[in-house]
Amino acid sequence: MSANPLGLKKIHHVEFYVGNAKQAEFFYRKAFGFSRAAYSGLETGNRETTSYVMRQNRVNFVLTTPMGPDHYSAEHIKQHGDGVRDIAFLVEDADAAFTYAISKGAKAVSAPHDLSDENGRVRKSSIQTYGDTIHSFISYGTGEADGYDGPFLPGFISQEVAGEEVGIQLVDHIVGNVELGKMNFWCDFYRDVMGFERYITFDDKDISTEYSALMSIVMSDGGHNIKFPINEPAEGKGGKSQIQEYIDFYRSAGAQHVALLCKDVISTVAKLQQNGVEFLRVPDTYYEEVRQRVGEIDEDIEVLKRLGILIDRDDEGYLLQIFTKPVEDRPTVFYEILQRKGCKGFGKGNFKALFISIEEEQRRRGNL
Ligand code: FE2
């Protein structure tokens, strides 16, 4: 039995602070196939921010923009551009989770408080993690007067605008990029504060190309439902690590990519490409040697090659994955689309080919 001192149940939502939530909503709906499910803004009495809740199966993204310069999100956007502010968890008890986290040294962002409207009441609290990123804890009470039966959280109204879903099911993992020398600090944070354990370690032997060296440790809850790899830049052979490029443009540590799990990666990626989502491509030579590296797979390699999908294997199976280009103008946040067929890894066998592609992009940006 693994410890779960915070009573984490799952990722409740990921909140992004964005410069223009209305346009971001259109992008996530038209490009990524999310549906708008809920809304908070001037019409609901919220004069500080506007938020759209975008939903696809079990993924909830919240896109929030400030209505003026005074809300903190304005400062976050000034510093970081569009990015992940909050990786929020559903927990058993938001008060207890907060008290435990603070007792283990976490920095408070907001003490436990009620959120309520005519649909009910929830408890929410928040702590700081890397950079200006936070973890909120949300719990639905169990008492007679508690519970919530609304579209998202109190303060939001239901507002459905259907997207054409592409088969994205679930957040598989969210990677944090942290400053040089800070990886172990943040791994200790996830161990001590969140009760996570070290799941996999990658060092620069695994993931060093000529320039884009990095180190990475995957921290996971006991049930391996919530996985947070933490990357730090490593010394390359004279060029700038892709992690350092991110940190320079995000202007701090922050969430690098959100990996979205799907059941049929071929159909999902084909739809995303039709919708105009831009993906990284590896050289075609990758597919000449891939069969030898991964052995027999169910999918047609030619189809994977056409779409640019990568394959990797571990002892338990294989995975299919692909990475988008950054989804904003700063070379910061991007997405991974993946399907797991038994494999619990993160695509280590693809790092080299991928990083050569990333370096090519970095070179074009003048950031190598
Ligand atoms: Fe990933």
Side-chain angles (χ1 to χ4, degrees):
M1 252 276 298
S2 302
N4 181 6
L6 296 181
L8 303 177
K9 293 181 170 177
K10 62 175 185 177
I11 294 178
H12 183 277
H13 67 266
V14 180
E15 182 173 32
F16 299 77
Y17 282 164
V18 299
N20 185 334
K22 192 184 185 86
Q23 289 188 6
E25 188 274 350
F26 191 76
F27 176 76
Y28 282 96
R29 184 156 48 80
K30 291 291 191 183
F32 279 86
F34 284 79
S35 291
R36 188 197 305 179
Y39 170 82
S40 169
L42 293 173
E43 296 82 352
T44 69
N46 177 0
R47 304 198 71 79
E48 303 253 285
T49 56
T50 294
S51 296
Y52 298 88
V53 178
M54 308 306 291
R55 188 171 289 158
Q56 189 164 176
N57 296 304
R58 285 148 72 193
V59 182
N60 285 290
F61 285 171
V62 182
L63 307 170
T64 295
T65 201
M67 291 288 99
D70 297 331
H71 188 265
Y72 168 70
S73 54
E75 180 59 25
H76 195 277
I77 293 162
K78 179 181 170 191
Q79 290 301 323
H80 307 298
D82 287 6
V84 173
R85 166 61 171 168
D86 189 0
I87 302 164
F89 298 101
L90 181 66
V91 300
E92 279 158 27
D93 180 339
D95 294 69
F98 181 82
T99 304
Y100 181 86
I102 298 302
S103 80
K104 294 293 180 183
K107 256 171 63 185
V109 175
S110 64
H113 56 281
D114 279 348
L115 296 176
S116 63
D117 67 9
E118 67 277 10
N119 293 316
R121 182 178 84 107
V122 309
R123 295 286 285 173
K124 187 179 181 191
S125 58
S126 309
I127 61 164
Q128 195 81 37
T129 178
Y130 46 75
D132 287 323
T133 317
I134 67 172
H135 288 306
S136 288
F137 304 126
I138 294 164
S139 60
Y140 300 84
T142 49
E144 189 78 351
D146 291 332
Y148 172 73
D149 185 25
F152 176 64
L153 282 174
F156 284 80
I157 58 164
S158 173
Q159 190 175 87
E160 285 174 33
V161 182
E164 248 179 75
E165 81 143 286
V166 300
I168 288 166
Q169 301 291 331
L170 188 68
V171 172
D172 184 87
H173 58 275
I174 301 178
V175 178
N177 281 346
V178 302
E179 299 88 348
L180 184 66
K182 285 294 177 70
M183 179 178 69
N184 283 312
F185 174 88
W186 287 107
C187 290
D188 290 351
F189 169 89
Y190 279 98
R191 183 194 62 203
D192 298 340
V193 173
M194 312 283 283
F196 283 21
E197 48 198 51
R198 192 175 284 218
Y199 184 57
I200 308 180
T201 304
F202 304 105
D203 63 21
D204 47 6
K205 283 191 294 299
D206 297 322
I207 40 185
S208 169
T209 57
E210 198 174 347
Y211 300 106
S212 238
L214 65 83
M215 297 204 292
S216 186
I217 294 177
V218 182
M219 299 302 290
S220 170
D221 71 311
H224 301 144
N225 293 315
I226 298 166
K227 297 180 288 283
F228 290 144
I230 305 290
N231 291 338
E232 77 170 35
E235 298 285 327
K237 292 180 190 147
K240 181 182 279 187
S241 165
Q242 55 169 301
I243 309 307
Q244 193 58 48
E245 186 198 32
Y246 172 102
I247 289 169
D248 289 351
F249 280 85
Y250 202 71
R251 303 183 73 85
S252 75
Q256 178 209 40
H257 73 267
V258 179
L260 300 168
L261 198 65
C262 57
K263 287 181 184 156
D264 178 358
V265 74
I266 288 174
S267 116
T268 296
V269 171
K271 285 178 188 155
L272 289 168
Q273 290 185 356
Q274 245 167 33
N275 294 348
V277 175
E278 293 182 312
F279 289 93
L280 283 175
R281 278 212 75 106
V282 297
D284 280 356
T285 49
Y286 170 92
Y287 294 94
E288 287 163 22
E289 43 95 21
V290 75
R291 201 185 292 275
Q292 200 174 4
R293 185 162 60 79
V294 300
E296 277 310 305
I297 58 169
D298 304 334
E299 294 75 13
D300 181 346
I301 297 267
E302 282 308 310
V303 174
L304 299 177
K305 179 178 171 182
R306 182 164 50 76
L307 294 167
I309 295 167
L310 310 175
I311 312 111
D312 196 28
R313 183 180 279 285
D314 67 7
D315 302 342
E316 294 169 85
Y318 64 96
L319 65 75
L320 301 154
Q321 65 182 169
I322 189 167
F323 297 85
T324 73
K325 293 184 179 182
V327 293
E328 60 284 289
D329 298 297
R330 298 192 201 191
T332 56
V333 182
F334 60 89
Y335 289 93
E336 174 181 354
I337 306 296
L338 81 162
Q339 180 180 0
R340 293 188 181 277
K341 297 189 114 174
C343 175
K344 298 205 178 81
F346 294 83
K348 176 170 131 177
N350 293 323
F351 288 169
K352 187 151 188 229
L354 261 173
F355 290 180
I356 289 168
S357 299
I358 291 172
E359 281 167 17
E360 188 47 45
E361 303 270 318
Q362 262 182 281
R363 187 173 293 113
R364 277 190 236 134
R365 294 192 283 257
N367 292 334
L368 196 58

